[in-house]
Amino acid sequence: MEVTRQNFKDSLNAVYSAIEEADFLAIDGEFSGISDGPNVSALTNGLDTPEERYTKLKKHSMDFLLFQFGICTFKYDQTKSKYITKPFNFYVFPKPFNRTSPDLKFICQSSSIDFLASQGFDFNKVFRHGIPYLNQDEEVQLREQTEERRNQHANGVGTPSFISPSSKGPAHVPEEHKDYINRVIGKVETLFTNSEKTLDLEPCTGFQRKLIYQTLNWKFPKGLHVETVETEKKERYIQVIRVDDEERKLREQQKREREQEEVNDAVGFSRVIHAISKSGKLVVGHNMLLDVMHTIHQFYCPLPEDLQDFKEVTMCVFPRLLDTKLMASTQPFKEMITNTSLAELEKQVKESPFKSPQVETAEGFNSYDTAQEQLHEAGYDAYITGLCFISMANYLGSFLTPPKAYISSSSKVVEPFFNKLFLMRIIDIPYLNVTGPDLQPKRDHVLYVTFPKEWKTSDLYQLFSAFGNIQVSWLDDTSAFVSLSQTDQVQIAMNTSRYAESYRIQTYAEYIKGKQQLQDKEKVGHTPKSWGEDGWMKPHYTSATFGYPKGLRKRCISPVQGEQGAGDAPITDGWSHYSYPDSTGSKKMKTDDKGGQANAEAIESKTSEGWLKTADSSDSMGSGPVPDEEGSPEGNDAEGTVTWQQAPAVHGRKGQKKQKKKRKGAESTPSLFEVPEVW
Amino acid sequence: MEVTRQNFKDSLNAVYSAIEEADFLAIDGEFSGISDGPNVSALTNGLDTPEERYTKLKKHSMDFLLFQFGICTFKYDQTKSKYITKPFNFYVFPKPFNRTSPDLKFICQSSSIDFLASQGFDFNKVFRHGIPYLNQDEEVQLREQTEERRNQHANGVGTPSFISPSSKGPAHVPEEHKDYINRVIGKVETLFTNSEKTLDLEPCTGFQRKLIYQTLNWKFPKGLHVETVETEKKERYIQVIRVDDEERKLREQQKREREQEEVNDAVGFSRVIHAISKSGKLVVGHNMLLDVMHTIHQFYCPLPEDLQDFKEVTMCVFPRLLDTKLMASTQPFKEMITNTSLAELEKQVKESPFKSPQVETAEGFNSYDTAQEQLHEAGYDAYITGLCFISMANYLGSFLTPPKAYISSSSKVVEPFFNKLFLMRIIDIPYLNVTGPDLQPKRDHVLYVTFPKEWKTSDLYQLFSAFGNIQVSWLDDTSAFVSLSQTDQVQIAMNTSRYAESYRIQTYAEYIKGKQQLQDKEKVGHTPKSWGEDGWMKPHYTSATFGYPKGLRKRCISPVQGEQGAGDAPITDGWSHYSYPDSTGSKKMKTDDKGGQANAEAIESKTSEGWLKTADSSDSMGSGPVPDEEGSPEGNDAEGTVTWQQAPAVHGRKGQKKQKKKRKGAESTPSLFEVPEVW
């Protein structure tokens, strides 16, 4: 169902009930761009820490607009043995709802816009008929303003936006308006003597309306109802109605209801997100970190500085998340799915050993046809994301004893994937762990190298040619990470570089330390973000205290416990899901395809060892990750108590046939749930 | 004529010849927003200096996109006694033309977008079919790149974007690509032995193409033509063609021509602007400062820091400009035209004493009907801007002796308006003088006041209540200019405020001095602009030396000499022309319509005296402005030697009947041309 400002109110109940009845729902967003700073390959450096990645995305991606939001709800029909889907495709636009409302600015990135245009994206629908929205602060502000105005009207002291605290007396009417105001008073006096009940004044300026309100409230404290009305041409004029006390009350009541309705209209699309949060339903997305960040940023609150705070807000807004790109990149799927982009994934989960899920579009909803790809329409992308999730979940069910063809979205089989968001292109940290600490891989084989800006990847290959295979992760024009294949080479490289003039080498640890010191210094010097200084992508409302919107924390549910996963990062074209047509390497960043090349090598060389180090270092997190790497999903129990998950050290050695690669396994420690097999 | 990427090349000759044959042309731009910083009332403070205004617009308006450009050419047909018009409406969008081209980001302002949407603006046309463009630096860069690549191809050393200086030898083929490359070599070798002439390799990555180029150039320096070709699906593959020397040359030649054509396509809409510059024709616009700034910024070069440099670039790009809003706000029109917004002006110049100009749309062009307003379509706005100019110019002709019904665009009658751009909402400086120093009004009756952010305009009125009528010009949340009606009150106000705690008062001179000191300090500390640091709205190309594009200065014509004008600033809804629906006062800026009110008062109180001071202070500029304020346009000579312009002191006392207001006139000094009567 396509939802714009024109049918939003009429559709809202359908949206609410779809969410309420759903087993799970899938979402997807389309944005006006990806990065306003570095290009994508620098934005997603292979050796980012989760904090760095979050900070970069927050800084460089949040001033774009999420202008299309897809939701597809999935409800399992036991009798039909199929999912009933309700896809919604919302067009969203921050149309200012009145003269004092925030006038948001957002960025468009030409390549993203061009890409969406080439996919037939309808910009006119967004800009002409997009549904407005408010974040929680704005909503609170607006409700307070409305309340305040109403109280002041009721007390007969005029409209608050015009009244300064110092002028409670009769209105100060400037000389040049005195004639005009006197004429108005004359007309109103006539209203009391003749048979007319209503007096429509001519359209006039806001300043004149202010004067009229003040004057009439002062001169005629009783017997009049005064209201601003808009003509079809959007001209505002004042309507004066002669009323008795009862009618005055009735009219005030009606006005209040209209005002409430107007506030609700202004909150607009945010109401849908509130409903999702409240439902606590599983929300599935594909490579969904940016979707989640944008959703919170646009419809809840400005993103917190700190990653830990972001995780907490995320759990409030989306109590349960699942990222199909992470799922597809994780064992047992990793071996079967070579390309985890949404479009490719959708094709692959139709083929054996997967089964296309049985789905049916609910009556009254347009059904999407996956044969006619409508990729990058958010509603369609949400729909196929849900399909991918179902296929993969059901595939996991085939390992149960007895095998199950249908796996519910709350099954323990999929639980290990909850609340882990895919981290794109990070070599050794596959996901952001929303409900716990993140993996901390050792990076003592990594060097931070600075060099003249003429250097290209090949120069780095040459510089390190003595050390065999290396991986290069560009940071900017004059710096990159170089990962050596063996840690003990690091000291040799450091030594030989000591007297080099054209380049400089630091260990990863030194680099991190230096960066930390710089940040601490900056915090002392309190460099404010240049963006947002003058209300950028934030409303012009002043928010006295920064913090999460009222009521958000209350809505939190306990974080899902205990699962830990780990592995290497798969490199796929994930950004294409983010409306990025191609890795647009600019000359300056020298992404002469060596970058991707280096990354590809990185995966090859890190597939087995890389992960084990990570696993070790994350032991401190409570439940050790993936102890039994050769164990593939199987089970001898009813759904929800899958053996290999519960006690892999005991039952884990069956079903090795699915495994193609052997890895050195760390010691296994039993824990309640573990990621079945990662990477 | 509507021009998009789809018909641009086919239309270009029509555009060129329309410009070439035109007597003058009118332009108009539509932008994606106005201000990314302060709201419009703060952006256009009534007491800005021209430098301040330029700096603010440069800082806060240039990251928006000029996405529709209207040009209407006007050619006078003597035999028909009417103008033949050719209106063009161009959709413009910085579509990246290849993977290494700039990926521009631009800002959209919700209120502007919403306003354009309400006017039926077609965003899909912009984003799907907008004509690309390059500024001069980008064009030079692209031509150099193309040249370089061609030379390297010709020398058989591979493609420059992939080749690092250090690898002139055989390509270093990474292990995992060796098989692939060897297969390619095998296929190419077969090409030499069988009857096939052409070999299409499979689509592959850029990195693989690089390896293939390098390898083939090394292994088969002769006898092959190697080229990258794109499939319909935009996949790139390599085509290898077996050729003899002659055919190789021919193919190289064809390729060169294709490349030139591609570069021209990329330069795109900028070619139209170049043609206008080259033509030297009079370019008419309505409230055109932002149009001029955007045009230069987008199609020529980043705007210079300094206003004087901007004026020079402007004269290079548009050697002759005329602003109809300035014209309409100047005597004799000021008295007759109450609202100088384009829409209202267009209506008024149809009525007596004006005459609707006789115009005819050229064959093959869609004619606009002014009865069906298509306001805010750039082509239409350009068209009616031209109509307004003709009507006003012809009206001036009625004062000539003998009266002339047709005034050419190069007539001396309109010359006083050349190269003066309307400065919106500045109380005492009506225009930016592009070809000379700007007016420097005395502002010794102005105070700079800072106060707590709770203060509103009424608090300022109260504070200064002892001084009679004041004007308030808000600067930001906690500061404003307050203009007193008499200069000798300034010292009293300063004295009484000495011990005030909640507010602080400085004279205007002190304020300017402090600001200057701050700027000097900042320059020493070299705070770079936060915008543009990472290529924002500038291409990702690095520009080694900032400066005006080559060839720009050469194209300069001598600035038009000698005219000086002056007057008070009229306050109208000028921004509505800039797609700004309404003075969107945010709560924070407290534009509770007092702002407009204050401005309105400003005009009233400044109408006569204000100007004279300005006139005095600008005497130093060489030719004194408007000495004889009672003299109205008249003449006893043929067109081009209008008496009142040449020697107002001698002939100036005739024709007083047209004047409605008497003013105290300063002593008149003869000068070659003067503004007939300003304000």
Side-chain angles (χ1 to χ4, degrees):
Chain A
M1 182 188 286
E2 198 162 80
V3 190
T4 64
R5 192 158 74 231
Q6 294 168 311
N7 65 340
F8 178 64
K9 264 157 93 169
D10 295 338
S11 313
L12 203 51
N13 280 330
V15 177
Y16 285 158
S17 68
I19 293 171
E20 213 34 66
E21 74 196 13
D23 289 306
F24 73 94
L25 41 101
I27 63 164
D28 180 66
E30 296 294 336
F31 321 123
S32 63
I34 299 296
S35 170
D36 65 33
N39 68 13
V40 168
S41 67
L43 192 70
T44 58
N45 186 280
L47 289 166
D48 281 336
T49 63
E51 286 79 10
E52 284 171 328
R53 176 64 57 86
Y54 171 71
T55 303
K56 279 197 280 186
L57 292 179
K58 170 171 150 50
K59 184 173 174 188
H60 293 298
S61 296
M62 287 304 111
D63 289 316
F64 297 103
L65 187 68
L66 193 176
F67 50 23
Q68 198 183 54
F69 199 99
I71 298 178
C72 187
T73 65
F74 290 80
K75 174 187 158 66
Y76 192 68
D77 186 324
Q78 295 281 358
T79 56
K80 290 183 175 173
S81 290
K82 53 168 69 168
Y83 277 101
I84 310 298
T85 65
K86 293 186 177 175
F88 298 91
N89 193 41
F90 298 92
Y91 289 84
V92 176
F93 181 72
K95 178 184 166 72
F97 62 92
N98 69 28
R99 290 156 48 101
T100 61
S101 67
D103 182 9
L104 280 193
K105 291 104 196 174
F106 56 91
I107 305 177
C108 295
Q109 185 169 8
S110 306
S111 57
S112 301
I113 295 293
D114 183 47
F115 175 70
L116 286 174
S118 74
Q119 303 287 312
F121 188 88
D122 193 336
F123 298 96
N124 284 339
K125 252 182 206 152
V126 167
F127 296 143
R128 292 178 185 169
H129 308 304
I131 309 158
Y133 60 86
L134 293 181
N135 73 21
Q136 299 228 326
D137 268 1
E138 291 160 4
E139 180 182 346
V140 167
Q141 288 259 6
L142 182 62
R143 291 199 190 277
E144 281 171 4
Q145 267 182 15
T146 308
E147 184 73 11
E148 202 183 324
R149 188 171 51 226
R150 184 150 51 81
N151 288 339
Q152 291 197 339
H153 266 247
N155 299 335
V157 288
T159 53
S161 59
F162 293 139
I163 283 286
S164 102
S166 53
S167 57
K168 299 268 180 199
H172 166 75
V173 180
E175 204 54 53
E176 67 274 26
H177 288 290
K178 282 197 170 141
D179 272 3
Y180 176 76
I181 294 297
N182 284 334
R183 277 201 307 278
V184 169
I185 293 172
K187 282 184 194 166
V188 174
E189 277 166 347
T190 320
L191 190 66
F192 281 104
T193 57
N194 67 10
S195 60
E196 297 292 323
K197 214 186 140 183
T198 301
L199 168 68
D200 288 341
L201 299 176
E202 279 169 22
C204 60
T205 68
F207 182 69
Q208 288 171 323
R209 288 200 302 280
K210 167 199 166 167
L211 294 175
I212 295 170
Y213 267 104
Q214 286 183 325
T215 306
L216 295 187
N217 274 322
W218 184 255
K219 268 197 127 50
F220 310 99
K222 278 186 168 238
L224 283 186
H225 175 83
V226 185
E227 197 169 339
T228 300
V229 189
E230 219 172 52
T231 67
E232 276 184 12
K233 283 182 172 178
K234 302 276 175 194
E235 290 171 326
R236 282 147 185 261
Y237 66 93
I238 281 186
Q239 190 173 62
V240 187
I241 307 169
R242 183 163 47 79
V243 288
D244 58 23
D245 260 15
E246 198 174 330
E247 191 178 349
R248 182 173 175 145
K249 267 180 204 154
L250 183 70
R251 285 187 178 271
E252 288 295 335
Q253 170 67 19
Q254 287 168 343
K255 196 175 163 189
R256 195 173 316 150
E257 281 162 14
R258 269 202 309 281
E259 281 167 356
Q260 284 305 323
E261 190 67 15
E262 276 167 23
V263 173
N264 285 340
D265 290 351
V267 177
F269 182 72
S270 304
R271 299 168 76 188
V272 174
I273 303 296
H274 301 166
I276 295 177
S277 305
K278 234 156 102 182
S279 77
K281 295 286 164 74
L282 174 68
V283 172
V284 178
H286 189 82
N287 200 5
M288 72 193 303
L289 177 55
L290 265 187
D291 298 277
V292 169
M293 289 176 73
H294 269 288
T295 303
I296 293 171
H297 177 70
Q298 247 173 250
F299 309 119
Y300 273 89
C301 59
L303 291 181
E305 280 304 310
D306 189 64
L307 176 61
Q308 187 50 40
D309 292 340
F310 167 70
K311 291 180 177 182
E312 285 178 26
V313 183
T314 301
M315 277 300 99
C316 295
V317 176
F318 293 120
R320 189 157 297 195
L321 290 166
L322 186 143
D323 192 326
T324 47
K325 191 170 179 85
L326 180 74
M327 200 168 175
S329 314
T330 306
Q331 292 298 3
F333 305 107
K334 178 183 173 14
E335 302 292 320
M336 305 148 71
I337 294 162
T338 47
N339 184 335
T340 60
S341 77
L342 182 58
E344 290 305 315
L345 179 60
E346 191 269 330
K347 280 179 201 155
Q348 292 194 48
V349 297
K350 280 179 180 166
E351 311 281 327
S352 174
F354 297 103
K355 288 191 190 77
S356 277
Q358 296 297 308
V359 290
E360 186 182 302
T361 311
E363 229 184 277
F365 287 80
N366 287 336
S367 61
Y368 284 119
D369 178 4
T370 58
Q372 289 185 351
E373 301 183 6
Q374 285 173 271
L375 279 169
H376 303 287
E377 173 173 307
Y380 177 79
D381 282 5
Y383 170 67
I384 62 173
T385 298
L387 297 186
C388 292
F389 167 66
I390 296 168
S391 285
M392 289 193 288
N394 288 347
Y395 177 73
L396 291 179
S398 68
F399 295 101
L400 296 175
T401 315
K404 300 203 72 168
Y406 161 68
I407 291 292
S408 99
S409 61
S410 58
S411 162
K412 289 245 180 324
V413 174
V414 291
E415 222 172 60
F417 297 103
F418 284 170
N419 300 326
K420 294 184 176 64
L421 303 184
F422 185 70
L423 281 176
M424 248 183 63
R425 289 186 181 147
I426 297 187
I427 293 170
D428 50 10
I429 312 174
Y431 58 82
L432 184 76
N433 184 14
V434 186
T435 47
D438 285 302
L439 302 169
Q440 296 195 0
K442 274 202 182 120
R443 289 178 175 173
D444 46 14
H445 62 298
V446 177
L447 299 171
Y448 171 71
V449 191
T450 52
F451 40 79
K453 68 172 188 294
E454 290 75 24
W455 280 36
K456 299 197 170 186
T457 306
S458 52
D459 298 289
L460 287 167
Y461 276 117
Q462 208 169 325
L463 179 64
F464 291 95
S465 55
F467 299 101
N469 232 350
I470 61 161
Q471 308 146 34
V472 176
S473 310
W474 283 90
L475 285 163
D476 57 28
D477 219 20
T478 60
S479 66
F481 289 126
V482 173
S483 306
L484 305 179
S485 50
Q486 288 169 341
T487 304
D488 54 14
Q489 295 171 337
V490 164
Q491 202 47 54
I492 306 169
M494 296 293 290
N495 290 342
T496 56
S497 77
R498 198 143 291 162
Y499 304 105
E501 281 179 9
S502 60
Y503 64 95
R504 207 167 76 100
I505 298 184
Q506 285 184 298
T507 64
Y508 182 79
E510 285 165 354
Y511 163 77
I512 289 290
K513 202 172 148 194
K515 197 172 165 177
Q516 190 57 48
Q517 283 169 348
L518 200 70
Q519 276 170 355
D520 293 347
K521 207 182 285 173
E522 269 173 6
K523 268 180 195 160
V524 173
H526 89 289
T527 332
K529 266 195 69 187
S530 63
W531 287 84
E533 262 176 350
D534 32 28
W536 245 88
M537 277 301 275
K538 288 171 201 153
H540 285 169
Y541 291 136
T542 38
S543 168
T545 51
F546 174 82
Y548 309 132
K550 294 152 197 167
L552 247 189
R553 286 189 184 273
K554 283 182 205 155
R555 205 176 290 149
C556 279
I557 64 160
S558 314
V560 181
Q561 297 173 329
E563 68 279 356
Q564 297 292 344
D568 266 321
I571 306 295
T572 50
D573 70 337
W575 283 102
S576 75
H577 178 59
Y578 281 127
S579 317
Y580 210 82
D582 213 45
S583 77
T584 313
S586 81
K587 187 193 168 206
K588 199 154 189 289
M589 288 305 296
K590 299 181 222 166
T591 49
D592 50 10
D593 283 31
K594 267 285 186 194
Q597 173 58 16
N599 274 340
E601 280 167 21
I603 298 156
E604 289 311 313
S605 65
K606 300 285 292 174
T607 312
S608 46
E609 296 129 317
W611 161 239
L612 290 179
K613 284 176 203 146
T614 315
D616 291 343
S617 66
S618 62
D619 265 350
S620 59
M621 283 178 249
S623 70
V626 204
D628 184 358
E629 291 195 298
E630 288 176 11
S632 68
E634 57 152 330
N636 55 9
D637 227 330
E639 188 207 333
T641 52
V642 189
T643 319
W644 52 263
Q645 283 189 313
Q646 281 197 309
V650 181
H651 304 268
R653 294 283 162 188
K654 293 181 191 167
Q656 294 184 5
K657 59 190 182 294
K658 293 281 168 194
Q659 287 307 109
K660 286 171 189 159
K661 280 197 180 180
K662 289 225 172 195
R663 300 177 184 193
K664 296 172 204 152
E667 278 307 302
S668 63
T669 43
S671 68
L672 189 58
F673 308 118
E674 286 158 346
V675 174
E677 167 93 2
V678 188
W679 284 266
Chain B
M1 182 187 287
E2 199 161 79
V3 190
T4 65
R5 193 157 75 231
Q6 294 168 311
N7 65 341
F8 179 63
K9 263 157 93 170
D10 294 337
S11 314
L12 203 51
N13 279 331
V15 176
Y16 285 159
S17 68
I19 293 171
E20 214 34 67
E21 74 195 13
D23 289 305
F24 73 93
L25 42 101
I27 64 165
D28 180 66
E30 296 295 338
F31 320 123
S32 63
I34 299 296
S35 171
D36 64 33
N39 67 14
V40 169
S41 68
L43 192 69
T44 57
N45 185 282
L47 290 166
D48 281 337
T49 63
E51 286 79 9
E52 283 172 328
R53 176 63 58 87
Y54 171 70
T55 302
K56 279 198 278 186
L57 292 179
K58 171 173 151 48
K59 184 173 175 187
H60 293 298
S61 296
M62 288 303 111
D63 289 316
F64 297 102
L65 187 68
L66 192 176
F67 50 23
Q68 198 183 53
F69 199 100
I71 298 177
C72 188
T73 64
F74 290 79
K75 174 186 159 66
Y76 192 68
D77 185 324
Q78 296 281 0
T79 55
K80 291 182 175 174
S81 291
K82 53 168 67 170
Y83 276 100
I84 310 300
T85 66
K86 292 186 177 176
F88 299 90
N89 194 41
F90 298 91
Y91 289 84
V92 176
F93 181 72
K95 178 183 167 73
F97 62 92
N98 69 27
R99 290 156 47 102
T100 60
S101 67
D103 182 9
L104 281 194
K105 292 106 197 173
F106 56 91
I107 305 175
C108 295
Q109 185 170 8
S110 306
S111 56
S112 302
I113 296 292
D114 182 48
F115 175 70
L116 286 174
S118 74
Q119 304 285 313
F121 189 87
D122 193 336
F123 298 96
N124 284 340
K125 249 179 210 158
V126 167
F127 296 143
R128 293 179 185 170
H129 308 304
I131 308 158
Y133 59 85
L134 293 181
N135 73 22
Q136 298 229 325
D137 268 0
E138 291 160 5
E139 179 181 344
V140 168
Q141 288 258 6
L142 182 61
R143 290 198 191 277
E144 281 171 3
Q145 267 182 15
T146 308
E147 183 74 13
E148 203 183 323
R149 187 170 52 226
R150 183 151 51 81
N151 288 338
Q152 292 197 339
H153 267 247
N155 298 334
V157 289
T159 54
S161 60
F162 293 139
I163 285 285
S164 100
S166 54
S167 57
K168 298 270 181 198
H172 166 75
V173 179
E175 205 55 52
E176 66 275 26
H177 288 290
K178 283 197 170 143
D179 272 3
Y180 175 76
I181 294 297
N182 284 333
R183 278 201 306 277
V184 170
I185 293 172
K187 283 184 195 169
V188 174
E189 278 167 346
T190 319
L191 191 65
F192 281 104
T193 57
N194 67 10
S195 62
E196 297 292 325
K197 213 186 142 183
T198 301
L199 168 68
D200 287 342
L201 299 176
E202 279 169 21
C204 60
T205 67
F207 182 68
Q208 287 170 324
R209 287 200 301 280
K210 168 199 167 171
L211 295 175
I212 295 171
Y213 267 105
Q214 287 183 325
T215 306
L216 294 187
N217 274 323
W218 186 254
K219 267 195 126 49
F220 308 99
K222 278 189 168 233
L224 284 186
H225 175 83
V226 185
E227 198 169 338
T228 299
V229 189
E230 221 172 52
T231 67
E232 275 182 12
K233 284 181 170 177
K234 302 276 175 194
E235 290 171 327
R236 281 147 186 260
Y237 66 94
I238 281 185
Q239 191 173 62
V240 186
I241 307 171
R242 182 164 46 80
V243 289
D244 57 21
D245 260 17
E246 198 173 332
E247 191 178 350
R248 181 171 176 146
K249 268 182 204 153
L250 184 70
R251 285 187 179 272
E252 289 296 335
Q253 169 68 20
Q254 287 167 343
K255 195 174 164 191
R256 195 173 315 152
E257 281 163 12
R258 272 203 309 280
E259 282 166 357
Q260 284 305 326
E261 190 67 16
E262 276 166 25
V263 173
N264 286 339
D265 290 351
V267 176
F269 183 72
S270 303
R271 299 167 76 187
V272 174
I273 303 296
H274 300 166
I276 295 176
S277 305
K278 232 157 103 183
S279 77
K281 296 284 163 76
L282 174 69
V283 173
V284 177
H286 190 82
N287 200 5
M288 71 192 303
L289 178 54
L290 265 187
D291 297 277
V292 170
M293 289 176 73
H294 269 289
T295 302
I296 294 172
H297 177 70
Q298 248 173 250
F299 309 118
Y300 272 89
C301 60
L303 292 181
E305 281 303 310
D306 189 66
L307 176 61
Q308 187 50 41
D309 292 339
F310 167 71
K311 291 181 177 182
E312 285 178 27
V313 182
T314 301
M315 277 300 100
C316 295
V317 177
F318 293 120
R320 189 158 297 193
L321 291 166
L322 185 144
D323 191 326
T324 47
K325 190 168 180 85
L326 180 73
M327 199 167 175
S329 314
T330 305
Q331 292 298 3
F333 305 107
K334 179 184 172 12
E335 302 292 320
M336 307 148 70
I337 294 163
T338 48
N339 183 335
T340 61
S341 77
L342 182 58
E344 289 304 316
L345 179 60
E346 192 270 329
K347 280 181 201 152
Q348 292 195 47
V349 298
K350 280 178 180 167
E351 312 279 327
S352 175
F354 297 103
K355 288 191 191 75
S356 276
Q358 296 297 307
V359 289
E360 187 182 298
T361 311
E363 229 184 277
F365 287 79
N366 288 335
S367 59
Y368 284 119
D369 178 4
T370 57
Q372 289 185 349
E373 300 183 6
Q374 286 173 268
L375 280 170
H376 304 287
E377 173 172 309
Y380 179 79
D381 282 7
Y383 170 67
I384 61 174
T385 298
L387 297 187
C388 292
F389 167 66
I390 296 170
S391 286
M392 289 193 289
N394 287 346
Y395 178 73
L396 290 180
S398 67
F399 295 102
L400 296 174
T401 315
K404 299 202 72 169
Y406 160 69
I407 290 293
S408 100
S409 61
S410 58
S411 161
K412 288 243 176 334
V413 174
V414 291
E415 221 172 61
F417 297 102
F418 284 170
N419 300 325
K420 294 186 178 65
L421 304 183
F422 186 70
L423 282 176
M424 252 184 59
R425 290 188 180 142
I426 297 187
I427 294 170
D428 50 10
I429 311 175
Y431 58 81
L432 185 75
N433 184 15
V434 185
T435 46
D438 285 301
L439 301 169
Q440 296 195 2
K442 272 197 184 130
R443 287 179 177 175
D444 47 14
H445 62 299
V446 177
L447 299 172
Y448 171 70
V449 191
T450 52
F451 40 78
K453 68 172 186 297
E454 291 75 25
W455 280 36
K456 297 197 171 186
T457 305
S458 51
D459 297 289
L460 287 168
Y461 276 116
Q462 208 170 323
L463 180 65
F464 291 95
S465 55
F467 300 101
N469 231 348
I470 62 161
Q471 309 148 34
V472 176
S473 310
W474 282 91
L475 285 162
D476 58 28
D477 220 20
T478 60
S479 65
F481 288 125
V482 172
S483 305
L484 305 179
S485 50
Q486 286 168 343
T487 303
D488 53 16
Q489 295 171 338
V490 165
Q491 202 46 53
I492 305 169
M494 295 294 290
N495 290 342
T496 55
S497 77
R498 196 144 293 164
Y499 303 104
E501 281 178 11
S502 59
Y503 64 94
R504 208 166 78 97
I505 298 184
Q506 285 184 296
T507 63
Y508 181 80
E510 286 166 354
Y511 163 76
I512 288 290
K513 202 173 148 193
K515 198 173 162 176
Q516 190 57 50
Q517 284 169 348
L518 201 70
Q519 278 171 353
D520 292 348
K521 209 183 282 173
E522 271 174 4
K523 267 182 196 160
V524 173
H526 88 289
T527 334
K529 266 194 72 186
S530 62
W531 287 83
E533 263 176 350
D534 32 28
W536 245 87
M537 278 301 277
K538 289 170 200 155
H540 286 169
Y541 291 136
T542 39
S543 169
T545 51
F546 174 81
Y548 308 127
K550 295 153 197 165
L552 247 187
R553 286 191 182 272
K554 285 183 201 152
R555 205 176 290 150
C556 279
I557 64 162
S558 314
V560 181
Q561 294 173 333
E563 68 276 357
Q564 297 291 343
D568 265 321
I571 306 295
T572 50
D573 70 338
W575 283 102
S576 75
H577 178 59
Y578 282 125
S579 318
Y580 210 84
D582 214 46
S583 79
T584 314
S586 81
K587 187 192 167 209
K588 196 153 191 290
M589 286 307 297
K590 299 182 220 167
T591 49
D592 50 11
D593 284 31
K594 269 287 185 193
Q597 172 60 16
N599 274 340
E601 281 167 18
I603 297 157
E604 291 311 315
S605 65
K606 301 283 295 176
T607 313
S608 47
E609 295 129 320
W611 163 239
L612 290 179
K613 286 180 200 142
T614 314
D616 291 342
S617 66
S618 62
D619 265 349
S620 59
M621 283 181 247
S623 70
V626 206
D628 184 0
E629 292 195 300
E630 289 177 10
S632 68
E634 57 151 333
N636 55 10
D637 227 329
E639 189 207 330
T641 52
V642 189
T643 318
W644 53 264
Q645 285 188 311
Q646 281 196 309
V650 181
H651 305 268
R653 294 286 163 186
K654 293 181 190 169
Q656 294 184 7
K657 59 189 181 296
K658 292 281 168 193
Q659 286 308 111
K660 287 169 188 162
K661 280 198 178 178
K662 288 227 171 195
R663 301 178 184 192
K664 298 172 202 150
E667 278 306 303
S668 64
T669 43
S671 69
L672 190 57
F673 306 118
E674 284 158 348
V675 175
E677 167 92 1
V678 189
W679 284 262

